[in-house]
Amino acid sequence: MLYRLLADVTAVVHFLFVAYVVVGGFIAWRWPRTVWLHLAAVAWGFSTILFGFDCPLTDLENWARHRAGDAGLPSTGFIDHYITGVLYPRDALDLVRILVALCVIGSWAGLVWLSRRRGTGTAAAR
């Protein structure tokens, strides 16, 4: 029972992390110092896709699911299992990746614009 709960909580945290990668730059518009946390999250998130790094949250969820007697995630991972083909069609994966990248870049561009407008010079100086 506890392992199943741990697996489910891990999946929720994983969803929140993915959502933060996508929209965290917009959160930094309100709290500019969080841009560094977002930069780290984006670097990690994109590197798992670009370079195939294993995500520790996927490993934790798999470990907990196996301990609970459940099947783990497929070898393709969290996003492929829970998001691709569920929230958008599988054949739109490349488009979604481009849109996510544009969202991140747009949020950072907006943060730079806002920081200049506020007169801080840099977003992290606030």
Side-chain angles (χ1 to χ4, degrees):
M1 173 73 175
L2 285 176
Y3 290 117
R4 176 61 191 218
L5 179 62
L6 176 60
D8 292 343
V9 168
T10 303
V12 168
V13 169
H14 213 159
F15 272 114
L16 292 173
F17 178 81
V18 170
Y20 183 70
V21 167
V22 176
V23 300
F26 296 107
I27 293 171
W29 289 16
R30 174 66 177 99
W31 296 288
R33 291 183 185 201
T34 65
V35 72
W36 300 110
L37 179 61
H38 188 245
L39 179 64
V42 167
W44 180 259
F46 278 84
S47 67
T48 61
I49 293 169
L50 295 174
F51 306 114
F53 293 149
D54 290 336
C55 180
L57 290 172
T58 301
D59 293 338
L60 178 60
E61 183 179 349
N62 277 332
W63 176 82
R65 291 208 184 282
H66 288 130
R67 288 285 193 164
D70 296 338
L73 296 174
S75 62
T76 52
F78 175 86
I79 291 175
D80 188 59
H81 181 69
Y82 288 115
I83 299 174
T84 303
V86 176
L87 297 181
Y88 54 83
R90 288 195 178 281
D91 60 353
L93 178 61
D94 290 335
L95 175 62
V96 169
R97 286 180 176 173
I98 290 168
L99 291 174
V100 167
L102 289 174
C103 186
V104 170
I105 292 166
S107 70
W108 288 349
L111 181 62
V112 169
W113 180 79
L114 282 172
S115 67
R116 288 184 179 166
R117 186 171 171 218
R118 292 175 183 154
T120 61
T122 64
R126 245 178 95 75

